[in-house]
Amino acid sequence: QVQLVESGGGSVQPGGSLRRSCAASGYTDRQYSMAWFRQAPGKEREGVAIYFGGGGTDYDDSVKGRFTISQDNANNTLYLQMNSLKPEDSAMYYCAAYLRPGRWWQNSAAYAYWGQGTQVTVSS
């Protein structure tokens, strides 16, 4: 069993930055992929960025060039640095772990473990 505990997030003005963290504990196979998702009211949960277990990253087009996903293997922690934030980035943000083999990374149903989620609000 893997536990994911998130921190960071909060409120910021447009153009500002925030950093999210997601600490994994329990069975921590460092070969599994970890990702960030977000869900705005009335919308489906969407994949924002992924750090593949075998190395490499991918991003949703809406955040490319603004968000950076990274991983600290020594501390089993996943990060999401969010820069140049826009009001449309406002949502509940979740980290997810263990992408099931053969599944598309932006499919939320493809992940076995989820963090508790934290609200990110971008507003002037």
Side-chain angles (χ1 to χ4, degrees):
Q1 187 74 14
V2 174
Q3 294 80 44
L4 303 176
V5 178
E6 301 177 34
S7 60
S11 298
V12 67
Q13 293 185 341
S17 298
L18 286 172
R19 190 193 197 202
R20 300 292 325 282
S21 299
C22 175
S25 62
Y27 175 66
T28 52
D29 178 358
R30 295 177 182 177
Q31 293 303 308
Y32 62 64
S33 300
M34 294 185 72
W36 289 101
F37 279 73
R38 66 185 180 188
Q39 188 169 20
K43 294 187 177 181
E44 293 187 357
R45 191 169 296 190
E46 62 176 1
V48 174
I50 185 168
Y51 198 104
F52 291 103
T57 59
D58 199 7
Y59 297 88
D60 185 79
D61 287 345
S62 65
V63 305
K64 282 181 179 176
R66 301 188 297 122
F67 290 13
T68 302
I69 190 170
S70 60
Q71 191 170 28
D72 181 348
N73 289 328
N75 295 313
N76 293 318
T77 300
L78 183 74
Y79 300 99
L80 183 68
Q81 178 65 42
M82 304 182 288
N83 298 329
S84 302
L85 282 161
K86 304 175 182 180
E88 51 263 44
D89 293 319
S90 298
M92 283 289 289
Y93 280 71
Y94 301 87
C95 67
Y98 195 73
L99 175 63
R100 296 182 176 93
R103 305 294 292 274
W104 174 239
W105 77 265
Q106 288 185 294
N107 178 3
S108 61
Y111 293 83
Y113 305 106
W114 289 89
Q116 79 276 16
T118 304
Q119 178 68 36
V120 170
T121 301
V122 184
S123 175
S124 56

